[in-house]
Amino acid sequence: MARSDAPLARWRQTMLSVIATIAFWVIAALLVGSALAVVLRRNIVHAALFLVLVFGATSGIFILLNAEFIAIVQILIYAGAITILILFAIMLTRHSMSRQSNPANKQLWPAAIVCVLLGASIIFAMFTPGSQLHPEADSTFISTSINNVLRIGQLLYSPSGYSYVLPFEIASLVLLVAIVGAIAIGRED
């Protein structure tokens, strides 16, 4: 890189950082608003649709953190499969017919107090000197040059060296057993 291109590259890096910061706050506000709508909406179908928005916003946060694999998994599994399963369960049980199909929870105020305390502890951790969340902390631990999807694929299915194929298959088997167990428990006699 020529010496005259250094200010342009620095300006470009600064602009990307500003855009990423703005995108983070917009997505975070959307995420919090959607999560509140999931809890507070009276119609359970609307709450389930806001849940899709929560999962999509969460994947946006993961993309901003350079965790593309987790973002893709978030969209495929949570926004796709889990939400469709919830919507089918709602439709099949006819809970969607009534206007107030999502009754108010009796634990609303204790849950709100716990949420406020959790948020206060996160804010306290952000502004505590020496914390990893402190803005002056070293932010170079996230390298943008590593394609984590490619790296995870190499770790999972690499024919040479140690790979995680066996633990991956064991986790799949455990999940399958959990699904069969849930069906057996939930089956009406």
Side-chain angles (χ1 to χ4, degrees), residues 47-82:
L49 293 176
F50 276 110
L51 190 61
V52 173
L53 205 54
V54 168
F55 292 144
T58 305
S59 69
I61 296 287
F62 283 130
I63 288 172
L64 286 176
L65 292 171
N66 292 324
E68 296 91 2
F69 181 77
I70 302 296
I72 292 169
V73 168
Q74 181 78 22
I75 289 174
L76 288 178
I77 294 177
Y78 288 101
I82 301 277

Side-chain angles (χ1 to χ4, degrees), residues 130-187:
S131 169
Q132 290 294 324
L133 297 175
H134 196 265
E136 295 174 1
D138 185 17
S139 62
T140 58
F141 64 93
I142 299 176
S143 174
T144 58
S145 63
I146 299 173
N147 185 350
N148 62 4
V149 176
L150 178 65
R151 185 75 183 128
I152 289 172
Q154 288 173 344
L155 283 174
L156 281 178
Y157 301 112
S158 175
S160 63
Y162 183 75
S163 67
Y164 292 94
V165 172
L166 185 61
F168 186 73
E169 293 299 328
I170 290 173
S172 303
L173 187 64
V174 169
L175 286 174
L176 180 64
V177 169
I179 290 172
V180 171
I183 292 172
I185 291 172
R187 189 180 60 180

Side-chain angles (χ1 to χ4, degrees), residues 25-101:
W25 285 110
V26 168
I27 293 173
L30 179 69
L31 178 65
V32 171
S34 302
L36 285 173
V38 169
V39 176
L40 298 176
R41 292 295 298 187
R42 294 286 184 198
N43 191 324
I44 197 161
V45 175
H46 295 164
L49 293 176
F50 276 110
L51 190 61
V52 173
L53 205 54
V54 168
F55 292 144
T58 305
S59 69
I61 296 287
F62 283 130
I63 288 172
L64 286 176
L65 292 171
N66 292 324
E68 296 91 2
F69 181 77
I70 302 296
I72 292 169
V73 168
Q74 181 78 22
I75 289 174
L76 288 178
I77 294 177
Y78 288 101
I82 301 277
T83 305
I84 296 299
L85 182 67
I86 290 171
L87 287 175
F88 270 115
I90 291 168
M91 298 295 178
L92 291 175
T93 56
R94 298 180 183 262
H95 280 291
S96 61
M97 299 301 175
S98 63
R99 287 186 161 218
Q100 294 195 357
S101 53

